[in-house]
Amino acid sequence: MKKIILDVDTGIDDALAISYAVHSPALEVLGITTTFGNITVEEATRNTVQILEFLGYSQIPVYAGAKRPLFRELKEKAKLFHGENGLGNIELPPPQTPVQKQEASAFMIEQARRHPGKLTIVTVGSMTNLAKAIRDEPEMTALVERVVVMGGAVTVPGNRTPVAEANICADPEAAELVFQSGIPVTMVGLDVTMQTLLTREHLALWREKGTDVSRLFADMCEFYMNAYAQVGNVRGCGLHDPLAVGVVIDPTFVTAVPMHVSVDTSGGLSDARTIGDRRKHPAAAANVDVCLEVDHERFVEHFLQNVF
């Protein structure tokens, strides 16, 4: 089993990723850390505990993390796609499980030291917690087996700006710090996640299943799909965060290409763009494995069979 920490800003696709991860026999979820992005870190922490309790996995510890970017102001919440509360405005019972007192980045460091060379960190929100961990403990780059990032867009347009993906845009300096740190990184960006599709037909099957969990996720994802329809995608929604978890479960879901990736932190029109350089040049030494192809049918089938 792969030992993972899942770092989330729990909106709707984060909730799907959490459920996919905790139900996977291939993964041991050591803990879930929270950050800002889709919503505030306080809301992300609440949502994470609520989802875990609803799924029956309240024993998995939750660690609250960064409240704001390393250097910038906090951006607005993604209310169009995730609703006011981050879960499509669907209310869950108030959380009962206490959040851990240890800070998220400190938990990452602790687990990296405890499991040297065997820990995978999956980030599906801003990378601020991981950037803080690397800044506080430079040995993180050698202790962590791999970081799998849902973020970036190298060959396709962005979804937060014409060139920038939302998770990178949340804290570009944190992403740049992680990419240039030397830690092994796989980028699961819009290049591949936009090729995955959860459809309304899938939601109908979840409703037919008739469990509390399947109905909850169907209702949340209907909100998500309605938001997608407003921006032109009427067929369904991308499985962004679940694909990052899927790549840890089975790396053959994707084809990745090593390249040098940097993040534009200029603050200009191309701010937060992830720039991939494939040149065989000393100044462009590969630092990230960028996923460019995905076996989307096989991945979606696996996700549907294992999400709950």
Side-chain angles (χ1 to χ4, degrees), residues 200-214:
R200 294 183 188 275
E201 289 74 20
H202 294 139
L203 302 193
L205 293 174
W206 286 358
R207 289 199 168 93
E208 285 180 17
K209 191 168 184 175
T211 68
D212 290 342
V213 172
S214 66

Side-chain angles (χ1 to χ4, degrees), residues 15-39:
L16 292 172
I18 290 170
S19 189
Y20 188 30
V22 300
H23 286 108
S24 172
L27 303 180
E28 179 186 358
V29 182
L30 301 176
I32 299 181
T33 53
T34 64
T35 185
F36 61 88
N38 294 324
I39 47 182

Side-chain angles (χ1 to χ4, degrees), residues 83-165:
E84 189 65 43
N85 72 347
L87 298 177
N89 297 330
I90 294 166
E91 295 295 332
L92 290 174
Q96 302 299 315
T97 310
V99 175
Q100 301 297 309
K101 293 182 180 180
Q102 188 177 28
E103 203 270 337
S105 60
F107 174 69
M108 289 180 175
I109 294 169
E110 175 191 82
Q111 294 303 307
R113 289 171 175 162
R114 184 172 296 176
H115 307 287
K118 296 181 179 179
L119 174 65
T120 299
I121 298 177
V122 185
T123 70
V124 296
S126 75
M127 279 190 268
T128 314
N129 289 331
L130 180 56
K132 285 185 171 183
I134 293 171
R135 191 173 60 183
D136 292 344
E137 175 50 273
E139 287 299 311
M140 284 287 289
T141 59
L143 291 170
V144 171
E145 180 180 5
R146 181 155 292 272
V147 173
V148 177
V149 172
M150 191 284 114
V154 171
T155 63
V156 297
N159 61 353
R160 184 66 185 248
T161 76
V163 296
E165 181 275 332

